[in-house]
Amino acid sequence: PWAGMRVHDGARLELAGELDVATVPGMHDRALAAVRGAAGTVVVDLTAVTHLASAGIGLLLEIAAGAPHGLRV
């Protein structure tokens, strides 16, 4: 499986591909670091996600917990 992530200004993450147990660990730390200290609401764009498994949902919950001003998906 393939997954990717782009970070835009720390407050916007663009996720793509298959978010599952094989791909999420590779982006976990980077995603959480990107939102830590974000100045505004964190926006996660899932438009290019083709598969969202429970590991991907878990990542979204962790991003939400680490976003100081909330999360919009």
Side-chain angles (χ1 to χ4, degrees):
W2 174 88
M5 177 177 67
R6 287 188 182 149
V7 178
H8 303 274
D9 300 327
R12 185 167 156 255
L13 300 178
E14 193 177 336
L15 303 178
E18 300 178 26
L19 301 182
D20 60 21
V21 71
T23 59
V24 166
M27 65 175 62
H28 178 270
D29 292 343
R30 185 172 166 229
L32 295 182
V35 302
R36 194 175 301 121
T41 301
V42 172
V43 176
V44 178
D45 182 350
L46 300 176
T47 304
V49 170
T50 57
H51 176 75
L52 183 62
S54 59
I57 294 170
L59 176 63
L60 291 174
L61 291 173
E62 287 191 64
I63 291 171
H69 300 286
L71 173 74
R72 192 175 88 208
V73 178

